[in-house]
Amino acid sequence: MVLEIALVDVQAGREADFVAAYAAGRHLLATTDGCRSVRMTRGVESPSRFVLLVEWDSVDAHEQNFRATDRYLRWRELIGPYFAAPPVVEHFVDLPT
């Protein structure tokens, strides 16, 4: 399992529109093969900053099943207009315990 973390800065004053667009498009992520969970959080001190947390079976599941498909294009059409800058996206794995 890998965790995708996307740091998303939204244009000031457009946060409610971004939240609505995310709600409308969340299913595009959540129903993708290889997606285990989707969660969006919002900054308390920085309310224009959001963090998207997506658990994937693998990086390939993210890249091949989502980013390389029309699902991703529709997702970006919904939420992209509200970005203040391109999101910073990275993948993480748990350390052994």
Side-chain angles (χ1 to χ4, degrees):
M1 192 272 306
V2 298
L3 177 63
E4 170 197 0
I5 299 178
L7 181 60
V8 182
D9 288 321
V10 171
Q11 299 166 23
R14 304 208 61 201
E15 297 88 354
D17 295 329
F18 173 78
V19 169
Y22 167 74
R26 184 184 180 282
H27 72 281
L28 294 167
L29 274 172
T31 60
T32 300
D33 287 340
C35 180
R36 296 182 180 196
S37 70
V38 178
R39 180 175 166 209
M40 181 75 78
T41 63
R42 185 175 185 178
V44 174
E45 292 82 10
S46 303
S48 293
R49 177 164 288 166
F50 295 80
V51 178
L52 175 66
L53 304 159
V54 185
E55 289 182 320
W56 295 99
D57 287 342
S58 64
V59 173
D60 279 347
H62 177 212
E63 296 294 330
Q64 300 303 314
N65 299 350
F66 186 66
R67 300 245 4 218
T69 70
D70 287 341
R71 287 174 171 270
Y72 176 73
L73 296 176
R74 293 193 314 259
W75 167 254
R76 286 302 293 252
E77 286 173 357
L78 285 168
I79 66 170
Y82 307 104
F83 294 165
V88 175
V89 180
E90 295 186 38
H91 297 97
F92 295 83
V93 295
D94 291 336
L95 295 175
T97 55

